[in-house]
Amino acid sequence: MTEQAVSNDDRDASITDPILEVRNATVKFGMDRGESRVLDDVSIDIERNEILGVVGESGSGKSMFASAFLDAIVDPGTLSGEISYYPDSGGEVDVLGLTKSELNQFRWEEIAMVFQGAMSSFNPVRKINTHFVETLTAHGDTVSEGMERARTILSDLYMDPERVLRSYPHELSGGMKQRVLIALSLVLEPEVLVMDEPTAALDLLMQRSIISLIEDIKEKYDLTIVFITHDLPLVVDLADRIGVLYAFEFIEIGPANELLEEAAHPYTRALLKSTPNLTAPVDEMRPIEGSAPDPVNEISGCSYHSRCPMADQRCEVEDPGPYIVDTDHDVHCHYWEEASEAVPMPNDGSGTETGSPDSDQPISVQTPETRPRWAGENPVLSLDDVEVHFEATQDEGLLNLFTDPETVRAVDGISFDIYENDVVVLVGESGCGKTTLGKAAVGLERPTAGRVEYRGQDVWEAKETGGDIPFEDIRQSLQIVHQDPGNALNSYRKVFSSLEEPLVRWYDDLDGNDRRQRILSMLKHVGMSPPEDYIERYPHQLSGGEQQRVALIRAMLMNPDVILADEPVSALDVSLRVEMMDLMLELQDMFDTSYLFISHDLANARYITEKTDGLIGVVYLGKLVEIGTPERIINDPQHPYTRALCWATPELLTETDRTDDSPMRKIDIPDPTDPPSGCRYHTRCPEARDVCREVEPEMVDSGTDETHQRAACFRAQENHEYWTSESIVED
Amino acid sequence: MDWRVRRIGQALFTVWGVITISFLLVRLMPGNPMSAMIVELEEQGISPTQARYLVELRLNIDPEEPIPIAYVNYVGSMIQGDLGHSMYYDRPVVEVLATALPWTLFVLSWAAFISFFLGITLGALMAYWEGGRLDLGLTGYATVMGSVPFYVLAILLLVFLGYRYGIFPTGGRQPTGVEPGFNWTYIRGVIHHAALPVISMLVVSGAASLSMRGNSIRVLGEDYLRVARLRGLPDSTIAIQYVARNAILPMYTGLMISIGSMFGGSIILEEVFAYRGVGYYMMSAVNQRDYPLMLGAFTIITIAVVIALLIADLTYSKIDPRAGGGKSEGL
């Protein structure tokens, strides 16, 4: 404990002008199983006008940390410790000592917060404007002045203030809601902004766009920002300093770049390695073994010792006090000096890894046998010019009863094939139609035009008039794994009943015992042991990763030919994603299936396709704009939209290697009821020229003999009139 | 097609279906009302031709016409508001029901709206003190009373408050000996007469408070409530604009549906209290085998319920902006 006190003083030395001082903040919850500490004696200083990134997996106490600044821990949690706030005007505010009305003034005027759930942070029956007005009146501000500020902030966030203020929350897209929430938190001109996973529910493109906006906003409004996330690469870009939370306490705090290049804690290093990205060799990405400790159990010694490769006797007994790596870099590990050897990084300055055969592999050319695409085999699933159009209802008013509803062209003429043991990943931002396309591909959504064929048999024809292959068989062969495993499993059925269902339905010859054996062995295979224990559980008694495994097994037990996996890893923590994808690939080998993956994350797409020689297809507003092997898509994207997706993928790069300018002219995706003419991307494309506005580009081959790549962009064609056409990019 | 057009079409279809069913009941069923009425008139010594003529006149159905033509004529007169001629009261059905309908609506709307607002208030308070004494007590009360049939309660109320203590009149719908008009004595008398039927419906309607309680508790857990509190909004704004407003939404359609079921209940209730509303006349029509009146009341009640539900659906988007104009978010 004395060691702790000394180091606190040391830490003060590197912080010259703190705006917030947190001392021994502890949050306790009384639970049936005992008292649980979800924030354990955390002390930290926050420098005025810095951006502090706080990184932690789910269940590491990071939301508690965020709420502590506003003394807003939800009941029945109790916060103890000391939080001091030093406003610009001088003086000191003891946050935990404020009365209720003082606290009501303090919150939002001095420290405001942006939540993860922007989707649900607004009252659904009140207009956005009302949200701003009521906040201003509640704090006794002049409404007209305040709304003027709100309008400025909204336009700073690249939105049309008048339109947004007139809207109801549900009329805005997820990305817009999140930005409105940021604007709402800034309307009272706070000095500190605490952001708790503000981008987690958004696709990467929007995440990245918001991140770059936050930087501008911070400069303009003179803010101090605490940015909390589970996504280390995301925050590396933004933050000045990064603190890593593990098991309810900080285990390492240091400048962002230093943490990236010379992380001193084995957990930080493992976290960096487990994150899918575009540059590190796929074989270097490793999941972190084991799981984080339970908050109820009092941990003796280092909380990471059970998962740490370097742990020894001392780690189990002695709490590692902060060791000072640098003036502003602390680490809670007894053996931090040896961590770089114990947990090597692919991009350690040493250079030993870059030349190793491992990292060459993903770029190496595969032999044609493993690429059925060129072997002239028949595809399992074939989509031919598939269109899915929805009718959208329009605005209220009893008078326009007889106007034609608008059509949303969710999927507008897409063709591709999936072969045996193949993997195709569809990437694109939210609202581009990739999920609808996926559903159409596995026969869950009827295309309004075009054909979906399973081994040459039209799926919908089989359903209606019967065909060579009965529809029952097709249904069994095309399965789906959903994004949110918690919702995909019936919460009132035990794991065993959920898994037994497909076997009972499709395998009459199995008796109860066979079914049980089969389920047990599958559970064991995916690492859920002892399986006898797991089959008796209900879904809420499983972790997110375990739920997703059950959902995956359930699909696999049908012995399908193609599985549509709709964002199967985005609901999981970054550190679990690699593990889940590895498992999916292993099961693919075992069951001989193909995957149609849907993802907004190019890094995940790259990981899974590089390991299987699959294809990445880029979807934009109902059109397939580019498709190809991962090395082509990532290293030499032809379509500017693909380039934007690459830009949006967080990279573990240091500041100097990064490009900060967005390759898009607009943040928001156009209205799908009224898609742009010609090339649909021309409204956001930095390379758009006059011809893009009128003519729709066709898919052209730009791959080589060994690689596959097709893109729908004029820039991929050498002698096209595009090159002589006039640019429409103003500025 | 616009959903509103479809919805109105559905309502019209339901009404048409009811009219058709009533026609088929009268015309095609063995031992149908028509022949029953003819026999009845013949028994009273009226000649068969005469009886047949009278029946045609009263039911708007000519048995000599081929069924399709008779059907068209029947539907045609229904659309024109001609529901036939009551045999027992010897007046047009429309006239009988037109004088009765306002009284039924009077009792029903009071019962519906008082129970709704009481339910909302109590439910909100129960949610606020979740697990407290009020919550437990009212939950128990609502559960017990929800399972008591209202007519049993109506008879008890009648026995005690009507006959034994004489606080409320035991029957009728307006005070005797007072000139109907817009004066306080008359209005008080009307309210006095309606009180018992309204109370007996009110006491058993615990459902509103229970669903309000559940909805409020759900809303209390929403993120937007937490954000609103952090934004420092006053408690009254949070209670009314945030919690209550959102908790009421799912109950709105339920209110309209409950009006429908209350119509059904009014048949027995009005009989118990001898309250001359649509239900009362329908009951007496059944007893008197007054088929035209019975069918007329049946049709009117159906149309009233269909209209109530139609209004609920068409106006829902006014109170919940998410309904109706659902843009392209679901992609």
Side-chain angles (χ1 to χ4, degrees), chain A residues 140-403:
Chain A
D141 274 35
T142 326
V143 172
S144 54
E145 254 173 57
M147 288 315 291
E148 217 35 66
R149 271 203 307 273
R151 287 199 182 88
T152 320
I153 305 170
L154 286 170
S155 28
D156 285 344
L157 293 165
Y158 291 90
M159 286 183 290
D160 171 8
E162 297 313 319
R163 214 202 109 210
V164 167
L165 289 173
R166 262 203 322 270
S167 306
Y168 282 104
H170 73 276
E171 291 167 335
L172 303 174
S173 72
M176 291 174 97
K177 265 188 242 184
Q178 192 66 63
R179 279 179 282 156
V180 173
L181 193 59
I182 294 174
L184 185 59
S185 67
L186 292 176
V187 73
L188 296 179
E189 299 178 304
E191 295 191 19
V192 182
L193 190 57
V194 180
M195 308 179 98
D196 184 6
E197 295 267 19
T199 57
L202 305 174
D203 63 71
L204 280 184
L205 211 49
M206 184 54 76
Q207 269 188 15
R208 182 65 195 255
S209 305
I210 288 185
I211 294 281
S212 29
L213 287 178
I214 289 175
E215 275 167 359
D216 303 342
I217 286 282
K218 185 223 149 196
E219 287 306 320
K220 181 163 176 192
Y221 296 93
D222 225 7
L223 292 166
T224 307
I225 294 181
V226 180
F227 190 100
I228 295 165
T229 178
H230 68 276
D231 198 344
L232 185 50
L234 185 77
V235 74
V236 161
D237 241 12
L238 179 72
D240 302 315
R241 284 197 305 154
I242 290 181
V244 182
L245 267 176
Y246 180 79
F248 323 112
E249 54 194 359
F250 281 105
I251 48 125
E252 185 166 7
I253 301 176
N257 281 331
E258 203 172 310
L259 210 72
L260 191 66
E261 284 170 348
E262 303 156 44
H265 198 284
Y267 173 71
T268 316
R269 302 184 71 87
L271 201 61
L272 284 167
K273 263 178 75 162
S274 71
T275 310
N277 58 62
L278 294 183
T279 41
V282 284
D283 294 325
E284 285 293 329
M285 299 177 199
R286 293 272 154 69
I288 308 176
E289 303 289 332
S291 58
D294 189 332
V296 176
N297 304 334
E298 192 75 39
I299 314 140
S300 74
C302 171
S303 51
Y304 188 61
H305 73 78
S306 59
R307 298 167 87 180
C308 183
M310 321 189 288
D312 66 6
Q313 205 76 39
R314 186 178 169 208
C315 301
E316 280 174 41
V317 190
E318 200 181 319
D319 213 346
Y323 293 89
I324 294 147
V325 179
D326 230 326
T327 42
D328 46 3
H329 186 174
D330 298 338
V331 62
H332 291 247
C333 178
H334 297 302
Y335 304 109
W336 64 272
E337 278 156 318
E338 291 142 45
S340 59
E341 282 155 46
V343 189
M345 302 295 293
N347 52 353
D348 267 349
S350 58
T352 49
E353 299 287 338
T354 42
S356 77
D358 271 5
S359 58
D360 274 348
Q361 208 183 5
I363 318 295
S364 74
V365 175
Q366 311 290 325
T367 45
E369 298 91 83
T370 60
R371 297 194 174 258
R373 204 156 286 106
W374 299 322
E377 278 178 37
N378 288 327
V380 180
L381 201 60
S382 170
L383 276 72
D384 183 24
D385 206 15
V386 168
E387 288 180 10
V388 184
H389 295 180
F390 294 114
E391 277 183 6
T393 37
Q394 38 207 306
D395 299 338
E396 351 241 295
L398 285 164
L399 288 175
N400 54 1
L401 284 180
F402 299 98
T403 45

Side-chain angles (χ1 to χ4, degrees), chain A residues 390-394 400-407, chain B residues 1-10 324:
Chain A
F390 294 114
E391 277 183 6
T393 37
Q394 38 207 306
N400 54 1
L401 284 180
F402 299 98
T403 45
D404 280 331
E406 293 172 62
T407 317
Chain B
M1 215 201 313
D2 190 293
W3 67 273
R4 281 172 289 243
V5 179
R6 262 194 302 242
R7 188 63 193 80
I8 293 170
Q10 277 171 11

Side-chain angles (χ1 to χ4, degrees), chain B residues 4-318:
Chain B
R4 281 172 289 243
V5 179
R6 262 194 302 242
R7 188 63 193 80
I8 293 170
Q10 277 171 11
L12 290 177
F13 178 81
T14 314
V15 172
W16 169 79
V18 171
I19 292 175
T20 306
I21 289 172
S22 67
F23 172 79
L24 294 177
L25 280 175
V26 172
R27 192 59 199 267
L28 296 178
M29 266 176 37
N32 62 43
M34 262 197 79
S35 39
M37 279 166 68
I38 292 172
V39 171
E40 209 171 288
L41 288 174
E42 280 172 355
E43 278 169 3
Q44 291 166 18
I46 297 167
S47 74
T49 7
Q50 182 98 27
R52 184 159 283 264
Y53 173 74
L54 282 174
V55 171
E56 281 166 19
L57 204 71
R58 286 172 180 175
L59 277 179
N60 290 328
I61 290 173
D62 182 354
E64 297 308 319
E65 278 175 356
I67 287 185
I69 292 176
Y71 174 69
V72 171
N73 288 340
Y74 178 74
V75 174
S77 58
M78 277 288 194
I79 289 172
Q80 289 165 31
D82 181 0
L83 299 175
H85 195 90
S86 163
M87 299 190 297
Y88 182 72
Y89 295 98
D90 199 25
R91 278 193 293 161
V93 169
V94 176
E95 222 179 279
V96 177
L97 293 178
T99 52
L101 194 62
W103 296 97
T104 304
L105 286 181
F106 176 67
V107 169
L108 284 186
S109 45
W110 272 108
F113 287 105
I114 295 179
S115 71
F116 195 62
F117 282 113
L118 216 61
I120 285 175
T121 319
L122 289 176
L125 291 175
M126 284 155 79
Y128 188 75
W129 288 300
E130 190 192 346
R133 247 184 299 176
L134 178 85
D135 184 19
L136 291 178
L138 280 178
T139 307
Y141 169 81
T143 318
V144 172
M145 285 321 238
S147 48
V148 173
F150 65 90
Y151 46 86
V152 174
L153 190 81
I155 292 170
L156 285 177
L157 286 175
L158 195 62
V159 168
F160 285 99
L161 297 183
Y163 287 102
R164 183 163 301 176
Y165 299 112
I167 298 172
F168 293 107
T170 56
R173 62 187 189 192
Q174 50 189 328
T176 43
V178 180
E179 192 62 25
F182 202 74
N183 57 68
W184 173 237
T185 344
Y186 181 70
I187 293 173
R188 200 185 58 182
V190 167
I191 294 174
H192 201 211
H193 278 78
L196 273 190
V198 171
I199 290 172
S200 53
M201 279 196 165
L202 217 55
V203 172
V204 295
S205 65
S209 66
L210 284 187
S211 55
M212 180 67 188
R213 174 184 179 270
N215 292 340
S216 305
I217 289 174
R218 181 181 51 76
V219 174
L220 284 174
E222 293 279 358
D223 282 347
Y224 57 78
L225 211 69
R226 188 158 179 237
V227 178
R229 287 209 188 98
L230 287 182
R231 264 157 52 208
L233 301 192
D235 287 346
S236 57
T237 310
I238 292 183
I240 295 165
Q241 293 294 346
Y242 278 72
V243 183
R245 179 88 193 271
N246 282 290
I248 290 171
L249 294 183
M251 298 171 65
Y252 182 66
T253 318
L255 169 74
M256 291 302 193
I257 293 172
S258 74
I259 289 179
S261 64
M262 279 182 169
F263 252 117
S266 75
I267 296 173
I268 302 175
L269 195 75
E270 290 176 357
E271 183 66 21
V272 171
F273 291 105
Y275 195 87
R276 290 169 171 251
V278 175
Y280 177 83
Y281 283 109
M282 189 159 176
M283 196 70 186
S284 86
V286 171
N287 288 334
Q288 306 300 333
R289 307 189 73 175
D290 187 348
Y291 292 106
L293 183 58
M294 203 162 78
L295 289 176
F298 178 55
T299 314
I300 289 282
I301 289 180
T302 318
I303 291 175
V305 172
V306 167
I307 289 176
L309 290 181
L310 187 66
I311 291 174
D313 278 0
L314 293 184
T315 54
Y316 189 74
S317 64
K318 295 287 165 222

